[in-house]
Amino acid sequence: MPVIKELDKMGVLDYNGELAYSGGEPASLSEFDDITNFFLKKGEKYIMVHTNAIKPVKSVLKGLGTDTMSVTVSIDCGDRQKFKQIKQVDAYNKVVDTLKKYVKAQGSNKKMVRSKYIIIPGVNTTREDVNKWLDETQRIGIQQVVLDFEADWLARNSNNIPEYIDELFNYMENSIKQRGLDIQYYGVANQYRQLKGLDSSAYGLHQE
């Protein structure tokens, strides 16, 4: 925090850009709230937080109300047992409770809280898995979802992607569209779509 304040005094920080938190659990940093509140006070144009959402964070609750902060949570499933299998921690109910608080804290933009699904072949790749996730997403009140792939798997299998993965991805896209949810593709999902020659513009969907 002292370094950020010093940079601010020097006039080298641009508050018309984007502050992105990712990698591990940024909200566990001792100065996370202080840093986030500092940039909120300065009027940072956009703050993006990737978090596990095991517990609600005060500065995130505050930021969501400003319409300048988004929160993405990689939940990857729709039930407690599958969550424990994937994450190796029994915290599904806590994450759902936090997401409900974050959804309620949103300002006028109701699409700033996002549920992310990383496709992990052999783990969460059945239609039942997808339906449970989408059902829970809508129960929570989330209106935008994010799709991605397990990066190492796609790197190893880019030239030999099983047919069931293609079928599942198509099912996910159609189901999301039918439910009236917005969608984003993260980097590895974009790679998959490029490999398959898929055109996201046909869906009017955003990519990152």
Side-chain angles (χ1 to χ4, degrees):
M1 196 60 206
V3 174
I4 292 175
K5 289 183 176 179
E6 184 62 29
L7 291 172
D8 177 60
K9 289 180 181 179
M10 294 169 61
V12 298
L13 294 179
D14 180 5
Y15 300 109
N16 194 40
E18 176 181 303
L19 172 64
Y21 288 108
S22 64
E25 177 46 47
S28 67
L29 298 172
S30 61
E31 294 184 313
F32 179 87
D33 276 337
D34 291 339
I35 293 171
T36 303
N37 285 326
F38 175 85
F39 280 94
L40 285 171
K41 187 176 181 180
K42 290 291 183 178
E44 182 73 21
K45 185 177 181 180
Y46 181 54
I47 300 174
M48 180 169 57
V49 181
H50 291 83
T51 174
N52 61 30
I54 289 178
K55 63 179 182 179
V57 179
K58 290 181 179 179
S59 60
V60 172
L61 289 165
K62 178 181 177 181
L64 283 167
T66 68
D67 291 334
T68 61
M69 177 184 287
S70 70
V71 175
T72 301
V73 178
S74 183
I75 193 166
D76 308 328
C77 62
D79 66 77
R80 180 180 175 184
Q81 182 177 356
K82 183 71 70 172
F83 184 91
K84 187 176 181 181
Q85 177 188 355
I86 295 171
K87 306 293 186 179
Q88 296 299 299
V89 60
D90 189 9
Y92 180 79
N93 292 337
K94 291 180 180 179
V95 172
V96 169
D97 287 344
T98 297
L99 283 169
K100 289 178 180 177
K101 290 181 173 69
Y102 285 166
V103 166
K104 188 176 180 180
Q106 292 178 116
S108 59
N109 189 340
K110 303 302 182 183
K111 298 178 180 180
M112 301 300 273
V113 178
R114 299 157 186 165
S115 176
K116 181 180 176 184
Y117 196 101
I118 299 176
I119 298 168
I120 311 170
V123 177
N124 61 353
T125 46
T126 69
R127 291 191 176 193
E128 181 182 9
D129 291 329
V130 172
N131 290 334
K132 285 183 177 181
W133 168 61
L134 290 174
D135 288 345
E136 187 73 277
T137 294
Q138 293 189 296
R139 277 195 295 268
I140 293 169
I142 293 172
Q143 298 182 29
Q144 187 169 89
V145 300
V146 177
L147 294 185
D148 210 352
F149 270 91
E150 200 282 315
D152 290 341
W153 181 88
L154 190 64
R156 293 193 307 269
N157 295 276
S158 60
N159 294 321
N160 188 32
I161 297 173
E163 184 177 346
Y164 84 91
I165 292 295
D166 296 336
E167 292 175 350
L168 180 80
F169 197 84
N170 182 63
Y171 177 78
M172 293 180 80
E173 287 189 319
N174 289 334
S175 296
I176 291 166
K177 183 180 179 183
Q178 289 167 6
R179 289 171 182 254
L181 298 171
D182 282 1
I183 184 173
Q184 286 189 345
Y185 300 109
Y186 271 19
V188 186
N190 274 328
Q191 293 175 29
Y192 167 82
R193 291 181 62 79
Q194 291 167 7
L195 286 169
K196 294 297 176 177
L198 299 175
D199 179 14
S200 63
S201 64
Y203 292 85
L205 304 178
H206 178 70
Q207 300 184 31
E208 285 196 359

